[in-house]
Amino acid sequence: MTSGEFARAGFVTYVFAAGGLLANLVTGVMTARLLGPEGRGIVVALASGVQLCGFVFAAGVAQSLAYFAVREPPLAARLLGGWAIALAPFALLGVACAELLLPLIFAGEPSAVAIGRWFALAVVLIVALELSYGVLLARNDYLGFNLVRLGQPTLTALGYVLLWSLGAFTVAGALASLAVATAIVAAFGIARGGRRLGIARPDLGLVRRSLWFGVRAQGSTVAASVNARLDVAVLPAFASAGAVGLYSVATNVSLIVYQLASTFAAIVLPVAASDTAERSRRKVLIGTLGTIAVCGALGAVLAIAGEPLLGLVYGAQFRAAIDPLRLLVPGAVLFAAASVVASGLAGAGRPFTATFGYGVGAIVMVGGLALFVPAGGTTAAAIVSSVSYAVVFLALLAAYRRVAPATVGGGVSPPKPGAESPSARARKPAHGRPR
């Protein structure tokens, strides 16, 4: 991709991501208003738990496929075949994990456990969804990737509206809508990407290498999620429940910019991995500056018009969340840009290096919360969180500057047009035809 094509792909990705956030807003409002606090709590808890299990046991397949398919194109079909086999036991382990967690999460709520027993099977669908992301990114099919990302929340919202119109909107119905939507878009993504990528007998050595890469890449993603929620997890030890409630709303709203950027960051990895070191650095820089510009503009809107918007969406009592929101926005913008730099590191073959940056931010946050929140409350928590997000960005940027001078892909130059990778040549017999 040229820089211009990359910029256009990024613009389209941001537009689709905004549409997905709007669809999520619709489903969130409907569950809150139609199911009440208890019903919404069960839906959110079950959906979040199953999605987390599915994401963890997908073992970073999206990042790994996106990286290796562009680094070693002749082996892409073998790579897909290997992942298809490897993910089957991982998905079953994810279902078992979700089933074991249900009685712990919903102790004393047998109805929620009963619903969760069948919904835990949706872990398989989440794993398949991650596989579809990887297949589409491996083929640089950014339109297909964005259609899948937008399709899941949109189809879920349409299912909610259908159930509501039929008078059948329940907790089980809401979760069933999510499961059906996930199944549809995962099947669409795998079929679309798999048709272009192909599937062949797996190469066990390649599968081992790609699995290790995926686990390391996923580690940085999990670290980013932990860092984003660490303040809310720690704050109850220092503040009242009411203050924590207001602060959690401010955190959720401020991290909208991060959610937008994380979708765009997914396309940065294969773009960075498929190019020369110099052009890769330029595209990561373009992506980072573009993210700061887009997310900075959105952050300014939230800071200026956030108070009436909070009252409109969450209720008048939540207008007070505007103060921590305004303090969180600057750091959230840099945290969003950090996700792009982290993808640049993964594209350079250093996925685990990004975890270090998020770890530094977590240390700053934990130490800052312990020192300043007892006296400063949620105001101090917002300042500390914003500073820690900035530290993450600076740490990742410094790491990328050290890594960037090296050739992309851990020292292996991208193959020239018409050239074959060393792995492909090794699989050719003497007469020149592939085995």
Side-chain angles (χ1 to χ4, degrees):
M1 298 178 72
T2 65
S3 295
E5 291 170 335
F6 176 54
R8 286 192 291 275
F11 174 78
V12 170
T13 300
Y14 272 111
V15 171
F16 274 75
L21 288 176
L22 182 60
N24 282 328
L25 177 63
V26 171
T27 56
V29 171
M30 288 189 70
T31 53
R33 293 186 178 274
L34 298 177
L35 298 178
E38 182 178 355
R40 184 180 188 279
I42 293 175
V43 169
V44 171
L46 283 174
S48 300
V50 166
Q51 287 174 345
L52 178 61
C53 286
F55 175 74
V56 169
F57 284 93
V61 60
Q63 298 96 319
S64 183
L65 273 175
Y67 179 79
F68 278 94
V70 300
R71 296 303 306 168
E72 303 183 51
L75 300 181
R78 288 177 174 266
L79 182 64
L80 178 57
W83 271 105
I85 294 174
L87 284 178
F90 282 132
L92 294 178
L93 286 174
V95 172
C97 179
E99 294 280 3
L100 291 173
L101 289 175
L102 282 171
L104 301 177
I105 297 174
F106 294 103
E109 295 188 43
S111 60
V113 174
I115 294 172
R117 290 297 184 196
W118 63 262
F119 186 66
L121 297 174
V123 169
V124 176
L125 301 178
I126 303 299
V127 172
L129 185 62
E130 289 293 318
L131 175 62
S132 74
Y133 292 154
V135 172
L136 292 168
L137 290 173
R139 294 298 303 166
N140 294 327
D141 185 359
Y142 303 122
L143 176 60
F145 170 75
N146 282 309
L147 286 172
V148 171
R149 294 285 297 218
L150 177 62
Q152 187 199 31
T154 300
L155 291 177
T156 302
L158 290 175
Y160 279 21
V161 172
L162 177 62
L163 290 172
W164 171 67
S165 65
L166 296 174
F169 192 81
T170 62
V171 169
L175 293 171
S177 293
L178 176 59
V180 170
T182 304
I184 291 173
V185 297
F188 166 79
I190 292 172
R192 178 180 172 117
R195 185 171 59 252
R196 298 182 180 184
L197 197 65
I199 187 168
R201 181 172 56 85
D203 180 325
L204 295 182
L206 179 62
V207 170
R208 283 194 296 270
R209 285 195 294 128
S210 62
L211 179 61
W212 176 231
F213 182 95
V215 170
R216 288 183 293 151
Q218 190 184 49
S220 64
T221 306
V222 172
S225 299
V226 170
N227 206 285
R229 299 296 177 182
L230 193 58
D231 51 351
V232 179
V234 174
L235 192 59
F238 305 103
S240 66
V244 173
L246 290 174
Y247 184 82
S248 66
V249 167
T251 301
N252 288 340
V253 173
S254 70
L255 288 176
I256 287 175
V257 297
Y258 171 74
Q259 293 166 7
L260 278 174
S262 63
T263 301
F264 169 66
I267 76 170
V268 173
L269 193 160
V271 169
S274 63
D275 220 331
T276 63
E278 181 180 351
R279 287 168 47 163
S280 175
R281 288 196 299 271
R282 183 163 60 247
K283 289 174 183 178
V284 172
L285 176 62
I286 290 172
T288 303
L289 294 177
T291 297
I292 292 175
V294 172
C295 294
L298 177 58
V301 171
L302 292 175
I304 295 170
E307 188 170 1
L309 289 175
L310 287 170
L312 178 65
V313 176
Y314 292 97
Q317 67 271 31
F318 286 97
R319 291 169 70 99
I322 187 60
D323 290 333
L325 173 60
R326 286 171 175 159
L327 293 171
L328 285 165
V329 161
V333 172
L334 293 179
F335 196 59
S339 67
V340 177
V341 182
S343 286
L345 284 166
R350 307 291 184 87
F352 196 67
T353 303
T355 306
F356 171 77
Y358 290 112
V360 172
I363 292 172
V364 171
M365 183 175 290
V366 171
L369 291 175
L371 288 173
F372 301 111
V373 170
T378 54
T379 298
I383 295 173
V384 168
S385 297
S386 200
V387 169
S388 74
Y389 294 158
V391 168
V392 168
F393 172 71
L394 294 174
L396 290 178
L397 193 61
Y400 185 73
R401 289 187 64 185
R402 289 196 303 272
V403 168
T407 305
V408 176
V412 182
S413 299
K416 297 178 181 179
E420 291 180 297
S421 70
S423 301
R425 289 197 299 270
R427 285 170 172 75
K428 272 195 173 184
H431 52 69
R433 288 180 301 174
R435 285 187 294 196

